[in-house]
Amino acid sequence: MPNRTLYLETMGCQMNVLDSELVEGRLRALGYEKIDDMTSADVVLINTCSVRDHAEQKVLSRLGALREPKERNKDMVIGVIGCMAERDPEGIFRKMPHVDLVCGPGELNKIPAMIEDIQSNRRRAIALSQSLSRKSTPLERALEYDSVEALDLSRDPAPSANVLQSYIRVQRGCDKFCTFCVVPFTRGAERSRPPAQIVDEARMLADRGCKEVTLVGQTVNSYINRDGDRPVRFAELLERVSAVGGIERVRFVTSYAGDFTDDIFEVMRDVPEVCEYLHLPVQSGSDTVLRRMRRQYTVGEYLDLIDRARDFVPGITLASDFIVGFCGETETDHDASRRLIERCRFKNIFVFKYSPRPATVADKRELDDVPDAVKRRRNIDLLRLQEGISLATNQSLIGQTVELLVEGYSKAALKAQEAEQTRGEEVSWRRSDQLVGRTATDRIVVFPGKETHIGRFADVRIEAATALTLHGTIIEASLRGDAVPGPNGMSLPVLNAG
Ligand code: SAH
Ligand code: F3S
């Protein structure tokens, strides 16, 4: 089969990153080669995010840029996959008539057949999973064989892929229906994968050099499946994945504060592989706002959970998400979010301006009444407040030694190396050999090192700190584990980037 080319761009969350990897694997098996030039590819797929309007606008502008290349090459197949495809298929075809393929996140295993159909029959192909029933319980659903599992089961990382740190899906969908959120509409009902499949996947990845897995789900801690007659919950799943030989670190995102149980803290404390890091979105520090968001916990309950996390797991770091300018949010509500940030001392936070999403309860029943300028001010305000906290905690680490997994070259080093190659520029050793690693607590550390350090664990002495990054010196004698060739630059994208 002649080589065909694929351009695949991923927007949004870690779930999309994983979905793209799986789709790419399927197409690679059919002879597709991934390229960086969108305009000359045989097949262009954009894996989309619908969480905020801004993310959808970005997709539309990307698709707009494909109009002209498609005029020139009528055989080009243009596909929109992921959440926006599921949310608004008609809108996509109406605004972008040159799109050939629309495929929701639950139907991605159909993509190879859809592309084939478009190429042979010159017609559009569409696959959505809107009909997913919510009548059964999450456990009952987990037991139903889900056609989409075929995608996870077919996982086959490219020989050149960086598997050092890999995502593993443990759950699909979400049943929480927070009033602002589109995810339950685009990703469907919550279903957890069988534990044996997850463990097998971890083993396959470990065999290829993976040392760190991140278990992903919209509300991972609500994971529930079965082993024979016995229910298996998230704490047990963490233990089972940690027991896989070669897997040295286990992370998980995202947790839901409404149903987080202490057995998970016990595993974080007792199982060395499980990282002492918890991403626990709170969204707001005001009970009135939380109630309108239907978050199913109060500020008091959230704070109590944070206290228990720190009691059970000494040294744990916490991260959170905030939405500013949700319908009816007052200055008093905003001050409450500030107080919560001061009290919790998160490692980092993600702050989003409220963006009304069609079909959600908030969009149907409430008024998006906070002006954009106010949203912007509150956004900056929370980030500034957090920056001070992050800086202070990072500076308190100066002089300490931390253990990290060396992930690759730092972004600055990659840029410097590129300049060296393309323009023949001399780049100082220190800049082009800056490596980056991450502690179990998800702190990012930059230090001078060698390519052979990549993929190994090492101790680094912290010498300087900014709010985002620690800088230090590697203690060479502490290096342990084998180097993993291939990783180049920070392998895991920033979460919640959508
Ligand atoms: N549980 C999911 C949440 C997905 S959305 C997870 O895996 O992270 C990620 C974050 O986007 C949410 O925590 C929330 O802070 C933000 N968000 C969701 N809907 C939003 C909206 N309509 N406007 C602004 N921010 C939103
Ligand atoms: Fe969205 Fe709330 Fe689920 S934020 S993904 S509906 S937990």
Side-chain angles (χ1 to χ4, degrees):
M1 195 183 297
N3 254 17
R4 294 172 294 183
T5 55
L6 164 73
Y7 173 86
L8 172 58
E9 183 170 341
T10 308
M11 303 182 180
C13 66
Q14 57 275 6
M15 204 57 99
N16 271 10
V17 174
L18 180 58
D19 280 336
S20 286
E21 185 196 319
L22 298 175
V23 168
E24 186 195 328
R26 289 287 287 271
L27 292 175
R28 198 180 335 101
L30 296 173
Y32 280 89
E33 181 198 342
K34 205 172 157 201
I35 59 167
D36 294 332
D37 176 21
M38 169 171 91
T39 59
S40 68
D42 297 319
V43 173
V44 174
L45 297 177
I46 315 283
N47 194 357
T48 60
C49 172
S50 281
V51 160
R52 282 165 291 276
D53 184 56
H54 175 73
E56 292 202 348
Q57 294 308 323
K58 216 166 107 189
V59 175
L60 292 176
S61 99
R62 199 63 94 247
L63 292 172
L66 284 163
R67 225 178 244 132
E68 201 261 332
K70 171 91 180 186
E71 293 271 286
R72 268 187 287 122
N73 173 15
K74 300 266 185 240
D75 292 332
M76 177 188 249
V77 174
I78 300 177
V80 179
I81 67 176
C83 285
M84 188 174 168
E86 185 73 37
R87 194 190 73 68
D88 190 19
E90 293 88 12
I92 293 169
F93 284 134
R94 195 180 59 245
K95 289 177 208 148
M96 298 288 155
H98 54 299
V99 167
D100 306 287
L101 178 157
V102 165
C103 182
E107 307 294 317
L108 300 177
N109 57 325
K110 297 187 180 141
I111 286 180
M114 291 168 79
I115 293 176
E116 183 70 45
D117 185 43
I118 295 164
Q119 286 166 337
S120 328
N121 303 315
R122 297 189 169 263
R123 61 176 174 208
R124 282 176 172 165
I126 172 161
L128 307 168
S129 41
Q130 281 158 342
S131 56
L132 241 165
S133 155
R134 284 183 196 270
K135 294 216 175 79
S136 46
T137 66
L139 183 55
E140 284 161 352
R141 269 179 242 142
L143 298 177
E144 288 162 20
Y145 182 76
D146 179 358
S147 79
V148 94
E149 282 299 336
L151 186 69
D152 286 300
L153 290 172
S154 70
R155 187 168 194 176
D156 184 18
S160 62
N162 170 15
V163 294
L164 175 65
Q165 298 164 294
S166 304
Y167 291 127
I168 299 182
R169 184 184 342 261
V170 302
Q171 187 189 50
R172 289 178 177 275
C174 182
D175 278 356
K176 302 291 188 246
F177 285 94
C178 302
T179 58
F180 54 82
C181 185
V182 80
V183 172
F185 301 92
T186 60
R187 296 241 166 213
E190 179 194 315
R191 290 142 291 161
S192 298
R193 293 178 68 199
Q197 273 182 20
I198 295 166
V199 168
D200 283 350
E201 197 166 321
R203 202 172 294 126
M204 179 274 288
L205 291 164
D207 287 346
R208 300 190 186 204
C210 175
K211 296 186 183 179
E212 178 181 302
V213 294
T214 301
L215 307 183
V216 300
Q218 302 298 341
T219 57
V220 270
N221 51 305
S222 357
Y223 174 92
I224 180 151
N225 203 294
R226 225 176 249 268
D227 192 348
D229 286 343
R230 218 169 45 80
V232 175
R233 293 176 199 281
F234 191 60
E236 181 177 341
L237 182 72
L238 278 175
E239 284 182 298
R240 288 208 197 174
V241 173
S242 300
V244 172
I247 299 295
E248 303 208 41
R249 276 185 175 179
V250 181
R251 300 184 183 282
F252 52 96
V253 283
T254 306
S255 299
Y256 181 68
D259 49 20
F260 202 99
T261 47
D262 288 350
D263 54 343
I264 301 173
F265 290 139
E266 282 163 1
V267 173
M268 293 177 88
R269 177 194 63 200
D270 297 337
V271 178
E273 285 81 6
V274 180
C275 292
E276 297 86 8
Y277 165 74
L278 192 60
H279 183 180
L280 200 61
V282 63
Q283 315 299 359
S284 169
S286 153
D287 278 331
T288 337
V289 176
L290 287 179
R291 211 172 311 120
R292 278 208 305 276
M293 290 177 164
R294 288 208 198 129
R295 285 292 288 184
Q296 303 175 35
Y297 54 81
T298 61
V299 174
E301 283 162 351
Y302 184 86
L303 291 175
D304 183 55
L305 184 61
I306 297 282
D307 287 345
R308 289 210 308 283
R310 291 195 162 121
D311 285 346
F312 272 104
V313 193
I316 192 171
T317 54
L318 302 158
S320 199
D321 294 358
F322 286 81
I323 293 178
V324 289
F326 185 62
C327 312
E329 188 191 60
T330 61
E331 283 304 316
T332 316
D333 294 324
H334 178 67
D335 284 342
S337 290
R338 299 186 102 251
R339 276 200 303 282
L340 185 124
I341 290 173
E342 278 164 351
R343 162 86 203 276
C344 291
R345 299 189 75 78
F346 297 109
K347 180 181 72 67
N348 66 293
I349 59 172
F350 300 91
V351 185
F352 306 103
K353 291 187 294 174
Y354 172 61
S355 165
R357 306 312 296 133
T360 59
V361 170
D363 189 50
K364 284 197 266 184
R365 300 207 194 134
E366 301 207 44
L367 217 54
D368 176 24
D369 54 359
V370 178
D372 196 58
V374 176
K375 288 181 185 169
R376 216 173 316 134
R377 172 170 55 72
R378 290 181 186 167
N379 188 342
I380 295 170
D381 184 45
L382 294 192
L383 287 175
R384 281 226 180 100
L385 177 62
Q386 177 60 39
E387 196 181 323
I389 295 168
S390 300
L391 183 63
T393 30
N394 276 356
Q395 281 177 338
S396 74
L397 293 169
I398 293 175
Q400 292 187 24
T401 299
V402 297
E403 192 202 39
L404 47 80
L405 174 61
V406 185
E407 295 184 347
Y409 287 109
S410 73
K411 269 195 204 128
L414 286 177
K415 255 196 216 138
Q417 288 169 0
E418 204 178 310
E420 220 166 20
Q421 278 161 9
T422 54
R423 298 198 295 272
E425 268 174 33
E426 278 287 320
V427 177
S428 77
W429 180 86
R430 267 195 77 89
R431 267 184 57 216
S432 64
D433 277 358
Q434 291 285 342
L435 299 182
V436 63
R438 209 183 285 244
T439 65
T441 51
D442 202 50
R443 291 202 159 95
I444 293 166
V445 188
V446 173
F447 55 95
K450 301 193 190 80
E451 184 150 7
T452 50
H453 296 162
I454 298 173
R456 305 183 74 187
F457 286 88
D459 293 341
V460 169
R461 204 174 29 254
I462 303 304
E463 284 153 357
T466 67
L468 292 178
T469 320
L470 298 165
H471 295 262
T473 302
I474 191 167
I475 300 168
E476 297 232 7
S478 71
L479 278 159
R480 61 179 186 86
D482 297 330
V484 175
N488 211 354
M490 277 173 57
S491 44
L492 292 185
V494 175
L495 302 181
N496 271 315

